[in-house]
Amino acid sequence: MDDLVALCKRRGFIFQSNEIYGGLQGLYDYGPLGVELKNNLKQSWWKSIVYNRDDVEGLDTSILTHPDVLKYSGHQDTFTDPLVDCKSCGLRFREDQVPEQCKGEELTDPREFNLMFETNVGPVIDDSSAAYLRPETAQQIYINFKNVIDSTSRSLPFGIAQIGKSFRNEITPRNFIFRVREFEQMELEFFVTPGEDDAWHKKWVEERLVWWVNQGIPRDKLELLHVTGDDLAHYSKSTVDIMYQFPHGLEELEGIANRTDFDLGSHTKNQKDLNINAKVMENDSSNARLAVQNESKEWIVPYVIEPSAGVDRGVLAVINEAYTIEDLGDNKQRTLLKLKKHLSPIKAAVIPLKRNNDDLVRLAHDVKTSLQKYQIGRVVVENTGNIGKSYRKHDEIGTPLCITIDFDSLEKNTVTVRDRDSMEQKSLDINNVNQYFLDYFSDESE
Ligand code: GAP
């Protein structure tokens, strides 16, 4: 983990947030390369969940959330972790995360600590203006269920997808970007007919495994955990967690829950008329019926299958998996990020052999511009004048292709293309570079 954190800082993937004022714990900023990697991961998820299917719509909702949403969802009462204080050093910990040095000390009895961040909306600070930063993106999907149905005429089964920030005041944030207080989630709420829920749940677990493998995580590094007993959330009939061997241990990367009719049943009006199966709080505040009519024109509340993945945990997993130290013999090594091409922050670096040669530099910019126009991702001109150093840098940040412009480029119209993983170099006619680039990025499943 230390090596990854150092690489992320040195190369501009991830920084401690608010660092110049001492930092804020549990918050991180994504740097120039981190934002590209993170966007690529999110884009890959959106493509697989929304674009490549015909049964999912997208959504982007507000982060500030009405307290009633989180009252009826159960978050106000149950979204808590047990908190203890160490009487010796005065620090507070989650009960199951007391550090070694405090384990022998006297601890207070655990008390429940709600993880939601509360704030106020508008110029008056009182109970009537209270709101929360959402602790998951899912709730805003449920409360927009009727809006989406009415505007798209969808029928079951169909899903609503959202990517966005969530906030949890974790008692002990830890392990770099694994457990943080502000993070992003990629959540799909997939609405199905009751009775078809178990089959859809199984299907989504399989789909999500395939997607993670396509992001570069080998199948044998992923495990399925069938959550049981007290670990099962109050809304869940059954949850399968996709676990990944992170640098600090085997931990949850994504959870796939069968949330039954709990969520729509909690937020709907006319609860009594709807034969809701889940145990929900009585709701007299909602003004929307969150139900659909079946073929017999009876109103039913759909069940929800929810694949919910953390973007930041995904970024950590793909970087960890890609991080490679390769032995080159003669006591030489190179560090490289073997990221899948679609995730690489920079797709190609165009490198003029000499930084002060106007003709070489101009040609490098021309090549960059013509590759950039395909919008496959970021292409840069790397004008350091040091080819060896440029190759090392781009290996370390996961750039799959380096294209070198030398004097042959001016005289014979050729460039040298170097592959990150094999280090193979080939000479290409400059007129064929665009097609080579397009072919190279078209042969990978995302
Ligand atoms: N809507 C369901 C839900 O939010 P969750 O298991 O609490 O379920 C889903 O969260 C995913 O969000 C987790 O699998 C994890 O990847 C990510 N996640 C949750 N808490 C996180 C935190 N404090 N820091 C980073 N990622 C987190």
Side-chain angles (χ1 to χ4, degrees):
M1 184 73 107
D2 290 346
D3 291 344
L4 289 187
V5 175
L7 176 107
C8 284
K9 167 139 194 183
R10 188 173 70 251
R11 289 302 189 185
F13 281 90
I14 298 165
F15 309 125
Q16 171 68 57
S17 187
N18 298 277
E19 195 175 13
I20 68 165
Y21 291 108
L24 266 179
Q25 228 203 332
L27 302 175
Y28 287 91
D29 295 335
Y30 285 77
L33 297 181
V35 66
E36 298 294 339
L37 170 57
K38 195 184 193 198
N39 282 344
N40 291 340
L41 189 71
K42 291 190 284 184
Q43 189 60 32
S44 173
W45 186 88
W46 196 261
K47 278 185 196 162
S48 97
I49 297 287
V50 183
Y51 294 172
N52 294 349
R53 305 179 61 93
D54 286 322
D55 54 4
V56 175
E57 302 287 349
L59 200 64
D60 182 19
T61 66
S62 69
I63 285 169
L64 289 172
T65 305
H66 194 294
D68 278 355
V69 175
L70 297 156
K71 171 180 159 187
Y72 292 109
S73 68
H75 283 84
Q76 274 184 352
D77 289 340
T78 63
F79 199 58
T80 56
D81 273 341
L83 172 79
V84 292
D85 297 57
C86 171
K87 289 195 179 169
S88 166
C89 66
L91 292 178
R92 294 177 160 184
F93 308 102
R94 213 169 93 171
E95 193 187 10
D96 60 343
Q97 291 172 353
V98 175
E100 282 309 317
Q101 68 268 24
C102 298
K103 277 194 175 143
E105 305 293 341
E106 197 185 341
L107 303 171
T108 59
D109 287 336
R111 56 199 187 280
E112 290 305 320
F113 173 78
N114 195 298
L115 302 185
M116 290 197 294
F117 283 99
E118 199 172 343
T119 186
N120 292 84
V121 174
V124 180
I125 311 285
D126 64 13
D127 283 353
S128 69
S129 66
Y132 293 99
L133 304 190
R134 65 184 177 203
E136 60 175 11
T137 67
Q139 292 306 319
Q140 301 277 359
I141 296 183
Y142 305 130
I143 61 171
N144 274 290
F145 179 79
K146 186 170 174 347
N147 286 334
V148 175
I149 289 256
D150 289 351
S151 56
T152 63
S153 310
R154 284 283 180 188
S155 53
L156 300 182
F158 82 99
I160 306 178
Q162 170 158 238
I163 300 177
K165 289 255 176 164
S166 293
F167 300 81
R168 297 182 188 179
N169 197 5
E170 297 282 355
I171 297 169
T172 24
R174 46 168 56 191
N175 296 318
F176 194 31
I177 51 171
F178 177 82
R179 186 176 303 286
V180 282
R181 291 181 166 137
E182 176 176 342
F183 55 98
E184 276 191 274
Q185 291 183 308
M186 306 181 281
E187 297 200 294
L188 168 67
E189 310 305 319
F190 198 79
F191 303 99
V192 303
T193 305
E196 295 176 6
D197 50 313
D198 291 334
W200 274 108
H201 191 204
K202 233 172 121 192
K203 203 169 147 83
W204 273 111
V205 172
E206 291 309 317
E207 295 257 343
R208 298 301 304 142
L209 275 172
V210 170
W211 185 80
W212 281 114
V213 171
N214 286 341
Q215 309 317 303
I217 315 279
R219 178 64 186 85
D220 60 7
K221 298 269 189 73
L222 298 168
E223 281 182 32
L224 294 182
L225 175 80
H226 293 260
V227 181
T228 53
D230 285 350
D231 289 336
L232 209 54
H234 63 282
Y235 50 73
S236 177
K237 169 179 166 187
S238 152
T239 296
V240 177
D241 285 345
I242 299 183
M243 310 288 283
Y244 169 70
Q245 192 67 49
F246 284 95
H248 61 278
L250 185 69
E251 296 253 26
E252 178 186 335
L253 178 61
E254 167 163 358
I256 301 138
N258 180 346
R259 298 180 68 132
T260 70
D261 55 1
F262 174 81
D263 301 283
L264 295 181
S266 296
H267 291 302
T268 188
K269 70 174 186 183
N270 301 344
Q271 286 170 317
K272 290 204 179 74
D273 306 332
L274 290 169
N275 289 323
I276 297 162
N277 288 310
K279 212 170 131 222
V280 296
M281 199 185 291
E282 200 175 304
N283 186 336
D284 296 320
S285 311
S286 167
N287 59 25
R289 178 166 45 201
L290 306 182
V292 294
Q293 277 179 304
N294 65 13
E295 280 160 9
S296 327
K297 297 285 172 220
E298 291 160 341
W299 286 97
I300 57 161
V301 179
Y303 271 36
V304 176
I305 307 302
E306 179 197 54
S308 171
V311 178
D312 310 79
R313 288 188 191 179
V315 167
L316 183 56
V318 296
I319 292 187
N320 180 48
E321 218 37 68
Y323 183 76
T324 310
I325 299 201
E326 208 172 78
D327 189 358
L328 300 174
D330 292 336
N331 284 333
K332 285 192 192 136
Q333 289 184 330
R334 70 168 181 146
T335 304
L336 72 161
L337 276 190
K338 281 189 172 181
L339 291 167
K340 298 285 275 208
K341 300 171 203 173
H342 70 277
L343 294 179
S344 289
I346 293 173
K347 304 302 178 200
V350 189
I351 311 171
L353 183 69
K354 285 198 180 313
R355 63 182 301 187
N356 297 325
N357 184 298
D358 288 347
D359 292 337
L360 292 178
V361 174
R362 196 175 311 112
L363 187 54
H365 279 283
D366 289 348
V367 170
K368 179 235 144 94
T369 305
S370 67
L371 297 181
Q372 191 63 68
K373 74 171 187 279
Y374 298 117
Q375 298 303 339
I376 285 172
R378 191 167 178 206
V379 178
V380 296
V381 172
E382 185 65 58
N383 194 11
T384 58
N386 184 330
I387 299 290
K389 227 171 153 180
S390 299
Y391 286 164
R392 268 197 303 285
K393 170 183 167 183
H394 283 280
D395 283 347
E396 215 183 25
I397 64 176
T399 308
L401 293 179
C402 285
I403 301 168
T404 302
I405 309 292
D406 57 19
F407 292 106
D408 277 351
S409 313
L410 301 177
E411 287 155 20
K412 298 185 194 153
N413 258 356
T414 56
V415 298
T416 305
V417 179
R418 174 187 181 268
D419 179 89
R420 175 195 69 201
D421 297 346
S422 65
M423 291 192 286
E424 246 174 50
Q425 301 192 16
K426 64 170 82 162
S427 180
L428 275 188
D429 189 289
I430 205 160
N431 295 313
N432 295 335
V433 171
N434 285 17
Q435 194 56 48
Y436 181 86
F437 182 77
L438 281 176
D439 292 346
Y440 185 86
F441 284 100
S442 68
D443 70 346
E444 185 180 76
S445 43
E446 293 182 34

